[in-house]
Amino acid sequence: MLKKVKHHSLKKHTDKNLMHRDISERNAPLKYLGFLVDETYFDNFELFYEFGKELGLQRKDIKLFTFIETRRRIPTLRQNQITNKEFTWRGEIHNQNAHEFLDYPFDVLIGFYNGKHEFLSAMAAQSKAKFKIGFNGADERLFDLLLTVDLQKPETFKSEVKKYLTILKKI
């Protein structure tokens, strides 16, 4: 029961954040790049930093935030990670690092997850990013560009994103 209430609240927060989204800076050139990643699909994070370098960015200009269903018992030093337990039943986020990530004014934010994902979609909606890219069946209201790419094939992902960023004159 509580899980249903949490998902309903997340949907309400997402809808509210979409209504207040500022799209005036959508065409800004790429200087800062952010990734929202579902760890169940992908855990080779160095690939994202290499991709940023290919786009002409320095490592400090690339930020990564991941979602994992439940935190592992193994101690980790990773701070840019959130679990479903850090979302309240009202859909609010209780993670200071997540708030800092979402308030960062990325020029491009890439939601690296398949389909509709309530938790990551709520984060994407709350993000202050100027331009957002999503994949395969994600909520089209959240993203400015949706790509149909197999996320398990990183080279295809990189070439498609690079192609569209070039077309849109972001790089």
Side-chain angles (χ1 to χ4, degrees):
M1 175 71 176
L2 193 58
K3 193 174 188 179
K4 283 186 178 183
V5 172
K6 184 186 272 191
H7 287 283
H8 178 71
S9 295
L10 283 171
K11 188 175 180 302
K12 279 179 44 180
H13 272 285
T14 300
D15 293 341
K16 184 179 103 180
N17 286 325
L18 286 172
M19 287 176 35
H20 300 293
R21 182 167 180 217
D22 178 21
I23 58 171
S24 63
E25 297 284 323
R26 187 182 282 175
N27 295 325
L30 177 63
K31 293 180 196 155
Y32 302 106
L33 178 63
F35 290 96
L36 274 175
V37 181
D38 185 356
E39 283 194 44
T40 58
Y41 288 110
F42 208 78
D43 62 356
N44 179 12
F45 305 129
E46 196 58 37
L47 173 88
F48 298 114
Y49 293 110
E50 290 170 9
F51 179 55
K53 283 183 184 177
E54 289 176 26
L55 296 175
L57 299 174
Q58 295 180 8
R59 190 175 180 102
K60 68 178 178 61
D61 299 328
I62 304 161
K63 306 259 190 261
L64 182 72
F65 209 90
T66 64
F67 173 85
I68 189 163
E69 195 65 36
T70 54
R71 202 170 303 280
R72 298 179 182 112
R73 297 215 182 268
I74 303 168
T76 180
L77 296 175
R78 294 203 24 241
Q79 296 178 359
N80 290 344
Q81 185 181 64
I82 194 165
T83 66
N84 61 351
K85 300 220 185 295
E86 294 172 277
F87 289 84
T88 67
W89 65 272
R90 286 193 254 150
E92 299 164 347
I93 299 172
H94 284 281
N95 181 317
Q96 184 60 35
N97 292 327
H99 285 291
E100 289 173 14
F101 180 83
L102 297 174
D103 288 339
Y104 199 83
F106 294 109
D107 297 306
V108 175
L109 176 73
I110 299 176
F112 200 82
Y113 57 93
N114 273 328
K116 298 189 191 270
H117 191 292
E118 287 95 358
F119 299 106
L120 288 174
S121 293
M123 290 182 72
Q126 192 173 337
S127 172
K128 304 284 189 264
K130 299 169 187 166
F131 189 81
K132 300 175 185 179
I133 299 174
F135 297 95
N136 302 344
D139 188 347
E140 61 272 355
R141 302 173 304 153
L142 297 173
F143 299 103
D144 303 306
L145 176 65
L146 285 174
L147 301 175
T148 304
V149 175
D150 183 5
L151 297 180
Q152 299 299 327
K153 297 179 180 173
E155 292 306 315
T156 309
F157 148 74
K158 291 185 336 186
S159 68
E160 284 295 302
V161 171
K162 200 181 294 187
K163 175 175 81 173
Y164 283 104
L165 291 177
T166 305
I167 291 170
L168 296 169
K169 297 183 174 129
K170 292 197 160 292
I171 55 172

